[in-house]
Amino acid sequence: MTTDPQPSVRIDTGKAHPARVYDWLLGGKDNYPVDEAVGALLPPEARDAARQNRQFMHRAAAWLAAQGVDQFLDIGTGIPTEPNLHQIVQGIVPTAKVVYADNDPIVLRHAEALLVSSPEGVTDYIEADVRRPDGIVEHARHVLDFERPIALSLIALMHFITDEQGAGDIVRDLVATLPPGSYLVLSHAASDLYPELAEQVTEQYAKGGIRLAFRTRPEVERFFDSLELVPPGLVTATEWTTPDLPADPEGSGIYAGVARIG
């Protein structure tokens, strides 16, 4: 089943939005000229990073579902691009429940048509900002059972939240709501792997009015404080893999990790 989405009409086409720029980088069509203007200024490696990030999400979601996790809270969903998270996990656990959240109204508009659950499972969507996590959790409680393990997915999201905006506190607060046996799935753009490239990307996003907060490996690792990183630990997006899959030798400027809570 799919629960009724929240109506939304406030789409600002005059300002670039991270979800729509990401859609453009992935070759999608659900973006506006202002988003394309940002994406077109980025180096070619930005497209590679978007693809690598997406592939990490697929591998991590499949691994979690194979471990028996059947509840997912995906914040910073982005424009739906198949296969979506629920398609990955419901292909393994048909009864899985997935709550999507994003602060771009266009994401929710497309969610109505594209984020359709398997008959046995549930998908749900909320227009919300990660900087107000309490509202997301409150909504998610109507769909997910917070007495059982939940996978919290923060894919390529936290580098849009600065330390001044409380990035670390946001992740800690979200993790604190989850029961033991839950997981945090997080990917994050690196400032220290390809410094010149990171600076270039940051500058071009800023021209579109989007502030970035790329971080070093130790800074990204802090999001996993007190959590148990599962193998292979905090690595690049192409290096994060499961024992049955070989690591991709392609370089990546994205850090990625999955950690168990409690």
Side-chain angles (χ1 to χ4, degrees), residues 12 56 161 208 217 247:
D12 183 358
F56 160 70
I161 308 297
R217 187 185 188 284

Side-chain angles (χ1 to χ4, degrees), residues 122-134:
V122 175
T123 58
D124 186 64
Y125 352 96
I126 176 176
E127 182 186 331
D129 195 307
V130 71
R131 290 169 293 186
R132 292 182 285 277
D134 289 349

Side-chain angles (χ1 to χ4, degrees), residues 33 60 99 244:
V99 174
D244 58 319

Side-chain angles (χ1 to χ4, degrees), residues 168 171-173 175-176 178 180-182 184 220-230 258-262:
V171 176
R172 282 189 291 272
D173 289 348
V175 166
L178 303 179
S182 296
L184 170 63
V220 175
E221 197 167 27
R222 291 188 195 123
F223 290 120
F224 296 98
D225 279 353
S226 76
L227 306 182
E228 178 188 353
L229 280 160
V230 303
V258 178
R260 192 175 187 276
I261 300 168

Side-chain angles (χ1 to χ4, degrees), residues 23 26 54 57-58 79-88 113-116:
D23 175 72
L26 288 171
R54 191 78 182 170
M57 182 275 284
H58 292 165
I79 308 265
T81 304
E82 293 191 340
N84 294 291
L85 187 149
H86 74 279
Q87 292 169 315
I88 297 290
L114 300 178
L115 299 181
V116 179

Side-chain angles (χ1 to χ4, degrees), residues 54-106:
R54 191 78 182 170
Q55 291 169 344
F56 160 70
M57 182 275 284
H58 292 165
R59 294 193 298 274
W63 181 82
L64 286 164
Q67 306 312 301
V69 178
D70 62 356
Q71 301 190 107
F72 292 78
L73 175 56
D74 181 37
I75 305 177
T77 297
I79 308 265
T81 304
E82 293 191 340
N84 294 291
L85 187 149
H86 74 279
Q87 292 169 315
I88 297 290
V89 301
Q90 289 180 348
I92 300 170
V93 184
T95 56
K97 298 179 180 180
V98 179
V99 174
Y100 290 108
D102 201 286
N103 69 345
D104 184 359
I106 196 174

